[in-house]
Amino acid sequence: MQVIENEQQIKQLPKGMVLTIGNFDGVHRGHQAILSAARTLADEKGVPCAVMTFDPHPAAVLHPEQAPGALTPIGVKKMLLESISIHTLIVIRDSLKLLNLSPEDFVDRFLMENLSPSVVVEGPNFNFGYGRSGDINTLRQLGAERHFEVMEVPFTEIPGDESGRTIVCSSTHVRQFLEKGDVRQAAQVLGRPY
């Protein structure tokens, strides 16, 4: 797996990749579904699959006192992504300048200038841009205008308790289960032991 950690390296990447963007903290089953869809699509198109992640978590820059604890430090995240055959990992160092970009500016000044992806693969709860003001629909609209596709991967759910409720796989749920000491349920969401 190629790991890109500075802007000069980003500019040298080939255009037209299949890209997915997110924190991917935990690399849980929901993340794995997105990553698998992106990798499959990239293989079909004959282009690399790139994952863009952030270090530190955006909340650690914007609201350090509210930042969630990391489920997977960047070294572990790299190892997990490599184990599922991701071609390229782009690690973005979060800054106020980047986090204050509007959704349009993030797409134009960052994605299109540097990567010009052919497809961006995301989950239904994807948010980006200043104050998380852009969502999957914003991305879809910008993609149509800027000539990249957007593929939405539905939530991954697992069986919950005896009541028959299901649990959406999310980093938030993993953290909640770990805080309660329910490592079995956390492992179910993660798809592996914590």
Side-chain angles (χ1 to χ4, degrees), residues 35 44 85 91 99 140-141 148 165:
L35 296 163
E44 288 170 3
S85 303
V91 180
L99 295 171
R140 204 175 274 119
Q141 176 187 350
F148 63 84
R165 291 183 308 149

Side-chain angles (χ1 to χ4, degrees), residues 161-177:
D161 55 24
E162 298 79 33
S163 70
R165 291 183 308 149
T166 58
I167 298 168
V168 172
C169 293
S170 72
S171 302
T172 299
H173 282 134
V174 174
R175 285 187 193 92
Q176 289 170 347
F177 289 131

Side-chain angles (χ1 to χ4, degrees), residues 34-46:
I34 292 168
L35 296 163
S36 177
R39 193 183 62 241
T40 299
L41 186 57
D43 290 347
E44 288 170 3
K45 289 178 157 291

Side-chain angles (χ1 to χ4, degrees), residues 78-97:
K78 287 177 184 176
M79 181 191 69
L80 291 169
L81 293 171
E82 186 166 29
S83 75
I84 54 176
S85 303
I86 296 302
H87 302 121
T88 304
L89 173 62
I90 303 166
V91 180
I92 302 299
R93 301 294 172 204
D94 264 334
S95 67
L96 286 174
K97 180 181 175 186

Side-chain angles (χ1 to χ4, degrees), residues 1-71:
M1 179 175 72
Q2 178 183 25
V3 179
I4 305 296
E5 297 188 276
N6 68 56
E7 198 168 334
Q8 282 308 108
Q9 292 175 310
I10 292 171
K11 290 179 184 298
Q12 295 170 7
L13 289 170
K15 306 296 185 208
M17 289 188 198
V18 172
L19 176 69
T20 184
I21 305 166
N23 286 307
F24 298 102
D25 192 19
V27 192
H28 55 66
R29 289 180 180 204
H31 294 144
Q32 292 166 34
I34 292 168
L35 296 163
S36 177
R39 193 183 62 241
T40 299
L41 186 57
D43 290 347
E44 288 170 3
K45 289 178 157 291
V47 298
C49 175
V51 172
M52 181 184 292
T53 193
F54 303 90
D55 187 46
H57 191 289
V61 175
L62 296 171
H63 307 286
E65 70 286 351
Q66 297 173 3
L71 295 169

